Amino acid sequence: MNNNNSTFRAALDTTNLAISALLEQIGQLRTGDAVELINELDLDDQVTLFRSISTEQAVLFLDQPELHYADQIIDSLDNGRAAEILNGMSADRATDIFHDLDWPSRNRLFSVLSPETKTALKKLMGYPADTAGGLMTTEFIAVPSTWTVEQTLAHIRQVERSRETVYAIYVENPETRILQHVVSLRRLITANPQAGIAEVGRDQEPLTIPPMMDQEEVARLFRKHDLLAIPVVDEQHHLIGIVTVDDVLDAMTEETSEDAYKFGGMEAFTKPYMQISFFEMLRKRGGWLCILFLSEMLTASAMQHFEVELEKAIVLALFIPLIMSSGGNSGSQATSLLIRALALQDLKLGDWWRVALREIPTGLALGSMLGLIGFVRIAIWQKTGLYDYGEHWVLIGITIAVALIGIVLFGSLSGSMLPFVLQRLGLDPASASAPFVATLVDVMGLVIYFSVAVIFLTGTLL
C-alpha cells in the first residue's frame, strides 16, 4: 500500500513539474505558436493545463479556431470555470464551441452563463453555421447619430476590450435603430472632436448583407471590396452583427478542406487527421469506395462485351491502362478547372454551352497531341525491335491515336459538364470528385477504344 502511494505521489509530482515547465514555455510564445504546442498534448493534459492557467490566457487560446479539442476541454472543466471562460470569449467563437457540444452539455453550461452571453448565443445559434449569421459576432461598436466624435472616441476607450474590432464604427438612428453610416477609425481620429458623428460618415449607403447569405458569397464580397468587416442587417435594416475578415478566412479554410475531401472521393472530416477514430475513418471513406467500386464493375462489363475482340487481338489489352488513364486525367483536369471557376463565380450556370464550345476544340487538340505521342511510341518500339506489334503495327498505331482523340475529348467534355449538372440539381459541384469522373470516363473510354479498333482492324487483326 505504501509503495502504491509513493508511486502515485511521484507520478503526481512529475506531472506537476511538466505542467509548470509547459506553462513557463507557453508564456514566452506568441498565441499561435502556443496553440500549436498545446495541440501536441493529449486531451487529459490539455484539460489539466486549462485548469492551471489564468482565465485570460484560457480565453485567448480557446478563441483560436486552430485549437483542437476546444469543445471537449470546455466540457471537462467544472461549470464555474467553464462559465468564466465562455463569458470572456468572443461570442462567435463561443457559439462554434456550443455547436460541437452535445445537448446535455449545452444545457448544463448554458444555465451558468451570464445573461449577455446567453443572449448572444441564442441569437447566433439560430443561424446555420455556413451563413453570414453563423459567422457574425454581436461584439461591435454602434453609436447613435446624435453623438459627437469626442463622445464616440470616449465610448471606444471604454468598451474596446470587449469588442471584436474597433476599425469600423456603426452609426444608427437613435429612434429606429436603423443603420445609417459606417465610419472608419481613421476618419474618426482625424475629424474635428466637436463634429457630429453623422457628419463624419460617408454619404454613400453602407454595404450590408442579410444573415442568411451563404458564406461563399460573403467571402466573394470581402475579396471584391477589400473589406475588414461587413455589417449584417435584418429585413428592417437593423444592425444585428458584423462579419470580420478573420472569420471569413477560417470559414473559407474549412470550406476548401471540405471541397478537397469531396474531390478526393470521400465525405468531409471535421477533425484533424490524428483525431479521426478508426470507425469514423471507415464510415466516411468506405461508403464512397464501395460506390466507386460498383461503378468500376461497369468497366469489367464493357471488357466482357468486347471479349471476342480481345481474344483475336490480345495486343489491344496492352494499351488499356494507357487509354483509361489518359481519359481519366483529362476529365479530372476539366473538372478541377470548372469547380474552381464556379466557386469564384467566374462562370454561371447558363455558361455551360460556352464551356462546351471551348472544351470541344481543346479536347480534340489535347487528344491529337497524345495520339501523336502514342503513334510515335509504337513506331519507335517496332522499328528498334523493343517489341513486335506484327505486320499491322501501323493500323494499331492509328487505332491508338484515334481512340485517344475520342477518349480525351469525351473526358474533357464530361468532366467540364458534370459540375454544371450537379449545380443545376442543387448539389455541391465539388461532389464531382476526380475518382467519380475517372470511373465514368473509364467505362466510356473502353467502349470508344474497342469501337475504334473494330473500325480500323476488322479484316486484319479482327
Side-chain angles (χ1 to χ4, degrees):
M1 187 69 174
N2 290 334
N3 288 337
N4 289 338
N5 288 337
S6 300
T7 303
F8 177 76
R9 282 196 297 271
L12 187 62
D13 291 340
T14 303
T15 301
N16 290 334
L17 286 173
I19 292 296
S20 299
L22 185 62
L23 286 172
E24 184 177 351
Q25 186 177 0
I26 285 175
Q28 300 172 356
L29 296 174
R30 297 178 186 272
T31 303
D33 296 327
V35 168
E36 285 188 355
L37 179 61
I38 295 171
N39 284 337
E40 295 178 6
L41 305 175
D42 59 32
L43 179 58
D44 291 338
D45 290 338
Q46 287 193 29
V47 172
T48 302
L49 175 68
F50 274 86
R51 286 173 178 157
S52 305
I53 60 178
S54 66
T55 300
E56 186 177 356
Q57 278 184 307
V59 168
L60 189 63
F61 295 145
L62 282 164
D63 257 334
Q64 306 303 311
E66 294 80 15
L67 180 67
H68 302 165
Y69 303 120
D71 57 321
Q72 297 178 59
I73 291 170
I74 287 292
D75 197 21
S76 299
L77 299 174
D78 63 76
N79 288 356
R81 174 68 168 164
E84 283 182 5
I85 295 172
L86 288 169
N87 288 334
M89 292 176 62
S90 59
D92 52 341
R93 180 60 182 148
T95 303
D96 292 339
I97 292 177
F98 254 72
H99 272 300
D100 293 333
L101 292 171
D102 56 30
W103 280 104
S105 297
R106 288 185 195 178
N107 294 332
R108 173 176 59 84
L109 293 172
F110 191 82
S111 62
V112 296
L113 295 176
S114 67
E116 295 81 5
T117 305
K118 288 180 180 179
T119 301
L121 285 176
K122 283 181 180 179
K123 178 183 291 186
L124 296 178
M125 291 190 72
Y127 299 104
D130 59 351
T131 63
L135 293 178
M136 73 179 184
T137 180
T138 56
E139 297 162 336
F140 54 87
I141 294 180
V143 299
S145 58
T146 53
W147 279 19
T148 63
V149 170
E150 186 176 22
Q151 285 178 295
T152 304
L153 287 171
H155 178 67
I156 292 174
R157 295 188 191 99
Q158 292 177 350
V159 302
E160 59 89 14
R161 284 184 173 272
S162 61
R163 298 298 185 264
E164 179 93 0
T165 177
V166 297
Y167 298 119
I169 294 87
Y170 302 95
V171 182
E172 299 175 324
N173 184 301
E175 297 178 359
T176 63
R177 309 293 293 179
I178 290 176
L179 179 65
Q180 292 182 327
H181 301 289
V182 178
V183 181
S184 68
L185 185 61
R186 175 185 293 180
R187 288 176 67 91
L188 194 67
I189 292 173
T190 57
N192 183 343
Q194 304 307 317
I197 190 68
E199 301 171 18
V200 180
R202 293 183 178 179
D203 295 332
Q204 64 187 54
E205 186 176 348
L207 181 65
T208 61
I209 56 175
M212 295 305 293
M213 177 179 283
D214 186 84
Q215 63 183 15
E216 291 189 8
E217 181 65 19
V218 175
R220 191 186 69 81
L221 288 175
F222 269 81
R223 185 174 63 251
K224 180 179 180 181
H225 299 286
D226 293 327
L227 301 173
L228 291 176
I230 189 168
V232 183
V233 298
D234 60 18
E235 294 179 354
Q236 289 75 40
H237 213 66
H238 296 143
L239 181 62
I240 58 176
I242 64 170
V243 177
T244 54
V245 66
D246 58 320
D247 294 322
V248 170
L249 288 174
D250 292 335
M252 287 302 96
T253 300
E254 183 179 336
E255 189 83 28
T256 302
S257 299
E258 182 179 337
D259 288 348
Y261 285 128
K262 289 181 179 179
F263 197 69
M266 69 186 82
E267 290 185 48
F269 291 96
T270 57
K271 301 177 183 177
Y273 178 82
M274 295 306 295
Q275 294 182 27
I276 302 170
S277 68
F278 176 74
F279 291 105
E280 185 178 7
M281 187 78 77
L282 289 183
R283 180 174 62 84
K284 293 201 170 186
R285 292 176 62 177
W288 267 101
L289 279 178
C290 290
I291 293 172
L292 293 172
F293 180 73
L294 291 172
S295 301
E296 286 285 4
M297 286 183 177
L298 296 174
T299 304
S301 300
M303 292 185 68
Q304 288 169 7
H305 182 74
F306 293 99
E307 183 179 3
V308 175
E309 285 76 9
L310 272 175
E311 289 177 352
K312 290 181 180 179
I314 197 67
V315 69
L316 294 176
L318 299 176
F319 297 97
I320 289 177
L322 172 70
I323 294 294
M324 293 173 67
S325 62
S326 298
N329 290 341
S330 64
S332 298
Q333 283 183 341
T335 302
S336 301
L337 284 170
L338 266 297
I339 288 175
R340 183 65 177 162
L342 288 170
L344 295 176
Q345 294 194 346
D346 295 336
L347 293 170
K348 294 183 172 56
L349 194 58
D351 294 327
W352 67 269
W353 62 273
R354 294 172 55 199
V355 173
L357 291 177
R358 186 180 179 88
E359 285 297 319
I360 288 173
T362 301
L364 287 172
L366 292 173
S368 299
M369 182 171 62
L370 295 183
L372 178 61
I373 293 172
F375 184 88
V376 171
R377 187 267 191 199
I378 291 174
I380 292 174
W381 258 242
Q382 181 70 28
K383 293 298 183 180
T384 57
L386 291 174
Y387 190 87
D388 184 12
Y389 293 103
E391 60 179 314
H392 302 295
W393 68 268
V394 174
L395 288 176
I396 294 174
I398 293 174
T399 298
I400 298 304
V402 174
L404 279 169
I405 294 173
I407 290 165
V408 172
L409 172 60
F410 177 79
S412 298
L413 201 54
S414 60
S416 61
M417 292 296 103
L418 189 57
F420 283 108
V421 172
L422 291 173
Q423 190 174 64
R424 182 66 182 86
L425 296 174
L427 302 174
D428 187 352
S431 299
S433 64
F436 184 76
V437 173
T439 300
L440 174 65
V441 177
D442 284 350
V443 177
M444 287 305 300
L446 285 173
V447 174
I448 294 171
Y449 177 41
F450 285 111
S451 298
V452 171
V454 168
I455 294 172
F456 284 97
L457 299 177
T458 297
T460 53
L461 293 180
L462 300 179

